[in-house]
Amino acid sequence: MTKIFVIHENPQWLPPLAEAFDRIGLPWAELDLSRGVFDLSAAPPEGIFYNRMSASSHTRGHRYAAELTAGVLAWLTRHGRRVVNGPAALDLEISKVRQYAALEQAGLRIPRTVMVQDDNAALIAAARRHFAPGPLILKPNRGGKGLGVRLFASVEALEAHLENAPAEEAPVDGIWLLQDYIRAERPVITRAEFAGGRFVYAVEVDTTSGFELCPADVCATDVQAAGDAFCPVGAAPAVPAAPRFTVLKDGIEAPLRNRLEAFLAASGVDVAGIEFIRDLEGQPLVYDVNTNTNYNPAAEEAAGIAGTARSGPGALAAFLAAELGHRQQQAA
Ligand SMILES: Nc1ncnc2c1ncn2[C@@H]1O[C@H](COP(=O)(O)OP(=O)(O)O)[C@@H](O)[C@H]1O
Ligand SMILES: [Mg+2]
């Protein structure tokens, strides 16, 4: 019998998925690509491969996991294996610039962004030219977990920061992004979850305690332990509260939902969490596409959808089960 192979590099994110897969009896195995050896002259095992390689893999010591995954996905697709979130999805996962091109092509609005591959002097000059007097956002092109995403009130504040910037925040692909700071009416972002290319639900995330907004429980613990989350509205509390996530009862408006689904279809993405902020006119600006998405268990619990097919892991399990059924029918 064929099964689902979950490609990943962080076992800490697997338990909620394992639980949902096991609940419906979905046969699955993990394929840890934090490192690996592959004989490219052999055929891959039969099955469906669900790619969850993360843009932040380098922050867990897996500097080349994304590169390895790109190779493995090419090998899998050359052998005709179905890859959920295939090569095109990985391509978007590791580059916000490519996300933005695809989003705009699908008619979605993004914050004004300038890409810089150069030294700090060039970065400051670009900030002065395009964003003076400020505020402005600095973020790495290959992102993840909000690491290295910072808000500066002015170009001078950016300049002061860069003088002593922590080396681990340097973008792993060498590319910095300078971006308009989106002013919102309330300090929240919205993250819309999709499985099988279809909208599942949206969560509102309170950003008062910082920019590191990974929905997974383990990441919330990380933020608490680090105690250094950047507060966009003033002094950060000594130990910031974990980000707060609330499932939106009414979802998101149909035109936005349709456009996001069309974007995913056009981009070859099956599973994603897409983040946007509404500006002061209420217009959504999309700034982050997470093809490796995690779900917040507390928010799902509070919304009464935990453990059901309407939860993130539940919807994902149902989608993968349907894919597997589909494949098995084709093979029969
Ligand atoms: N242009 C922006 N304006 C306002 N807030 C932003 C902007 N870009 C990022 N943020 C805040 O920083 C967080 C992390 O940024 P994001 O682009 O999602 O990076 P990552 O890929 O690391 O998650 C966002 O969820 C949001 O709270
Ligand atoms: Mg994000």
Side-chain angles (χ1 to χ4, degrees), residues 55-56 93 96 99-100 111-113 136-151 179-184 188-189 191 205-207 210-214 232 275 277 287-290:
S56 64
E93 172 72 14
K96 283 203 165 57
Q99 290 174 20
Y100 294 165
R112 190 170 58 103
T113 304
L136 74 161
I137 293 268
L138 175 72
K139 62 171 80 170
N141 180 49
R142 190 189 289 195
K145 304 189 302 183
L147 212 70
V149 180
R150 289 180 182 270
L151 166 65
Q179 193 166 81
D180 267 342
Y181 173 61
I182 309 161
R183 292 172 195 278
V188 296
I189 65 117
R191 178 165 168 135
V205 191
D206 186 325
T207 55
F211 283 174
E212 295 189 20
L213 303 178
C214 175
E275 296 176 357
I277 299 177
Y287 62 86
D288 189 23
V289 177
N290 304 277

Side-chain angles (χ1 to χ4, degrees), residues 58-78:
H58 62 280
T59 67
R60 286 176 291 277
H62 306 145
R63 167 61 188 87
Y64 298 112
E67 284 75 9
L68 173 65
T69 303
V72 169
L73 298 191
W75 174 62
L76 293 173
T77 48
R78 166 255 179 276

Side-chain angles (χ1 to χ4, degrees), residues 248-260:
L248 295 176
K249 201 162 45 54
D250 299 326
I252 55 175
E253 61 275 26
L256 175 60
R257 172 187 167 154
N258 292 341
R259 203 155 268 185
L260 290 170

Side-chain angles (χ1 to χ4, degrees), residues 53-264:
M53 184 47 56
S54 161
S56 64
S57 45
H58 62 280
T59 67
R60 286 176 291 277
H62 306 145
R63 167 61 188 87
Y64 298 112
E67 284 75 9
L68 173 65
T69 303
V72 169
L73 298 191
W75 174 62
L76 293 173
T77 48
R78 166 255 179 276
H79 283 279
R81 298 292 180 272
R82 161 79 167 120
V83 183
V84 169
N85 276 3
L90 178 64
D91 203 52
L92 291 193
E93 172 72 14
I94 60 171
S95 171
K96 283 203 165 57
V97 170
R98 296 198 289 261
Q99 290 174 20
Y100 294 165
L103 286 163
E104 286 204 296
Q105 204 152 6
L108 289 149
R109 287 179 60 211
I110 59 155
R112 190 170 58 103
T113 304
V114 171
M115 163 168 68
V116 179
Q117 200 310 110
D118 208 331
D119 57 17
N120 283 352
L123 192 58
I124 292 159
R128 193 163 288 135
R129 171 148 186 229
H130 297 281
F131 297 93
L136 74 161
I137 293 268
L138 175 72
K139 62 171 80 170
N141 180 49
R142 190 189 289 195
K145 304 189 302 183
L147 212 70
V149 180
R150 289 180 182 270
L151 166 65
F152 297 98
S154 64
V155 176
E156 290 68 34
L158 166 71
E159 212 169 333
H161 168 77
L162 288 175
E163 271 169 30
N164 305 298
E168 66 272 15
E169 286 188 6
V172 69
D173 65 355
I175 295 177
W176 277 121
L177 305 181
L178 295 165
Q179 193 166 81
D180 267 342
Y181 173 61
I182 309 161
R183 292 172 195 278
E185 221 150 73
R186 294 180 300 130
V188 296
I189 65 117
T190 309
R191 178 165 168 135
E193 298 293 349
F194 298 81
R198 306 300 304 271
F199 177 77
V200 181
Y201 64 69
V203 281
E204 202 171 80
V205 191
D206 186 325
T207 55
T208 43
S209 60
F211 283 174
E212 295 189 20
L213 303 178
C214 175
D217 261 354
V218 282
C219 296
T221 319
D222 283 354
V223 172
Q224 295 240 4
D228 65 353
F230 177 66
C231 177
V233 292
V239 179
R244 279 174 293 143
F245 296 73
T246 314
V247 175
L248 295 176
K249 201 162 45 54
D250 299 326
I252 55 175
E253 61 275 26
L256 175 60
R257 172 187 167 154
N258 292 341
R259 203 155 268 185
L260 290 170
E261 287 180 348
F263 154 73
L264 294 175

